Amino acid sequence: MVQLTAKISANELANLAVDLIRKTGCEYGDVRFCSYRRQNLYARDRSLSQLSDNVSSGFGVRVLLDGAWGFAASHSKTPAEVARIVALAVEIAKGSRLTQKEPVRLVTSRKICRYLYNSHRH
C-alpha cells in the first residue's frame, strides 16, 4: 500500500524549527530556507555546445546556547529532518562552548520585522 504524505510548507517547517529551538533554552535561534537555481549556457562558433539548469535547496539552523554558536544544515525538508538539524545545531553549540574563552552576548533590540522574501516571480 502506498502512503501519501501531505506536503508541508516552508513556513510550517520554519515554525516547527523555531518551536524546537525555544524548547532547548537557546538565547537565540533562526532558520533559513533557501533555493538556488544555476543556469549555464556554453556556445562555440555560433553553436550551442552545452546547456544546464540546476536547482538546489535546503535549510540551515543557527542557535546561540549559553553564549556559543551552533549551526547545522540539510537539503531534506521534512519535519523529522528539521528536528534532527535543530538538535544537531544545539549539540554543535555545546561543543563550541568547550573551547570558547568568552561567551557571545547579543545586544537587546526591538523586533524590527518578520517577512518572507521570495525572489521567484510567477
Side-chain angles (χ1 to χ4, degrees):
M1 180 169 124
V2 175
Q3 184 177 4
L4 298 176
T5 57
K7 181 150 173 79
I8 298 173
S9 73
N11 279 345
E12 291 171 311
L13 291 171
N15 286 332
L16 171 62
V18 170
D19 290 342
L20 292 170
I21 291 167
R22 283 186 178 133
K23 288 178 183 175
T24 65
C26 291
E27 299 102 275
Y28 174 85
D30 67 47
V31 59
R32 296 177 186 195
F33 285 81
C34 300
S35 181
Y36 301 99
R37 184 174 185 182
R38 182 176 177 176
Q39 296 176 315
N40 292 308
L41 176 114
Y42 299 96
R44 186 177 186 167
D45 298 326
R46 297 183 184 180
S47 176
L48 180 63
S49 61
Q50 186 177 2
L51 176 66
S52 65
D53 186 11
N54 300 303
V55 177
S56 62
S57 65
F59 70 97
V61 172
R62 181 173 52 176
V63 299
L64 182 64
L65 178 67
D66 297 330
W69 288 111
F71 178 81
S74 176
H75 69 280
S76 179
K77 295 176 277 188
T78 66
E81 187 68 351
V82 167
R84 187 184 79 80
I85 293 301
V86 167
L88 182 58
V90 168
E91 289 303 311
I92 290 170
K94 289 176 182 177
S96 297
R97 192 174 48 200
L98 298 174
T99 60
Q100 192 172 31
K101 292 181 181 175
E102 289 188 34
V104 173
R105 297 288 173 229
L106 300 179
V107 296
T108 304
S109 68
R110 66 180 178 84
K111 183 176 178 181
I112 297 172
C113 65
R114 180 179 176 170
Y115 63 91
L116 174 67
Y117 174 75
N118 187 348
S119 63
H120 300 288
R121 293 194 171 139
H122 300 285

